[in-house]
Amino acid sequence: MSESKLAGQYFDAAIGLLQRVRDEEAEAIGAAGALVAETAAAGGRLFAFGAGHSSLPAQDVVYRAGGLALMNLLPIPGMVGVDVMPATLGSALERVDGLAGVVLDNSPARAGDLLFIISLSGRNPLPVEMATHARSLGLKVIGVTSVAYATATASRHRSGDFLKDHCDLVLDSKIAVGDAELTADGVGAPFAPASTVVTSALMQAVIATAAGELAARGIDPPMLRSGNVDGGHDWNRQVMSEYGDRIFYQR
């Protein structure tokens, strides 16, 4: 099989997943966008969390051109992307009981805020405890996960629960267990993951919906402009000054 054919198959698989999510998750995306807009309009703060590669879609909605300025990353040292050595330590940290509570208790998050928790499998203690503790603090929680894992794998949390079991709203990425879209002769393992592509699109779709919801309420949503267009930096400085009490990535 030619390399170009494999590339085409990957694009087809990713496009198929995007179309499926667009169609099957439309109601949930609308509800999530409305919840983001409601929180923003009420003066609440917005946070996104993900561990390992699940942190990439969280980072994708924070401090970027065309993005909502109010989105903040909720980081855990050693778990943002693969920025820890060895990289396997990040996976191990996802299984540490109690870590989520410590992070939330030492974060700016408070009652009335909104937290996206992104976890492909949703089976490790960290995302489950992040959701339960956040809700106990009075936050709304939107889980972004693959619901398929809850039927094909066992939870690693002592409760037996998954992330999806402790959210106010769930967005299902539809990613198959194992997160690999292709197989080929001579390649011993399935390959070509699509979770980042699909989950990032889900997050951006929610933010786009929220922007429309805010505009419908008569509120000009605080969107960021590219710093590489004339006037972009000045625009962003004004937005960050006006909403500085809810933006934590500039401190």
Side-chain angles (χ1 to χ4, degrees):
M1 183 179 293
S2 70
E3 292 84 350
S4 60
K5 187 172 182 180
L6 285 171
Q9 287 184 350
Y10 177 76
F11 280 116
D12 288 344
I15 290 168
L17 283 164
L18 288 168
Q19 290 175 330
R20 185 181 171 197
V21 167
R22 178 197 63 193
D23 297 340
E24 297 179 14
E25 294 298 295
E27 184 176 346
I29 290 168
L35 190 54
V36 170
E38 178 183 326
T39 302
R45 288 85 65 82
L46 307 171
F47 298 90
F49 165 79
H53 286 95
S54 288
S55 75
L56 300 179
Q59 294 179 66
D60 193 46
V61 293
V62 176
Y63 183 56
R64 65 162 304 148
L68 185 62
L70 301 178
M71 287 301 311
N72 298 279
L73 186 67
L74 183 67
I76 295 180
M79 304 193 70
V80 180
V82 287
D83 66 338
V84 63
M85 294 292 289
T88 51
L89 176 58
S91 298
L93 288 172
E94 290 189 66
R95 305 181 190 184
V96 175
D97 291 331
L99 181 57
V102 172
V103 170
L104 278 170
D105 289 343
N106 288 277
S107 78
R110 65 188 185 192
D113 293 346
L114 174 65
L115 173 63
F116 286 91
I117 301 177
I118 304 171
S119 173
L120 178 60
S121 73
R123 68 190 295 227
N124 288 310
L126 183 60
V128 176
E129 292 179 6
M130 184 74 75
T132 57
H133 195 67
R135 294 177 86 189
S136 75
L137 295 175
L139 280 76
K140 294 291 187 182
V141 173
I142 299 176
V144 188
T145 188
S146 171
V147 173
Y149 276 83
T151 58
T153 68
S155 171
R156 291 186 175 125
H157 189 257
R158 59 184 177 274
S159 68
D161 291 345
F162 286 75
L163 168 62
K164 73 175 186 64
D165 300 317
H166 297 281
C167 299
D168 296 284
L169 183 65
V170 174
L171 298 173
D172 184 2
S173 65
K174 316 294 182 181
I175 299 296
V177 174
D179 191 17
E181 294 301 317
L182 302 182
T183 59
D185 292 340
V187 183
F191 58 100
S195 60
T196 303
V197 173
V198 175
T199 307
S200 290
L202 259 174
M203 293 295 292
Q204 292 295 349
V206 171
I207 298 304
T209 301
E213 288 278 346
L214 285 166
R217 293 170 179 242
I219 301 171
D220 187 3
M223 313 305 291
L224 295 172
R225 293 178 180 265
S226 171
N228 293 311
V229 299
D230 291 343
H233 286 302
D234 291 336
W235 173 279
N236 292 342
R237 275 194 291 269
Q238 177 61 37
V239 168
M240 290 188 213
S241 174
E242 184 175 349
Y243 292 91
D245 60 329
R246 290 189 271 169
I247 298 174
F248 302 102
Y249 49 80
Q250 64 176 339
R251 297 179 181 177

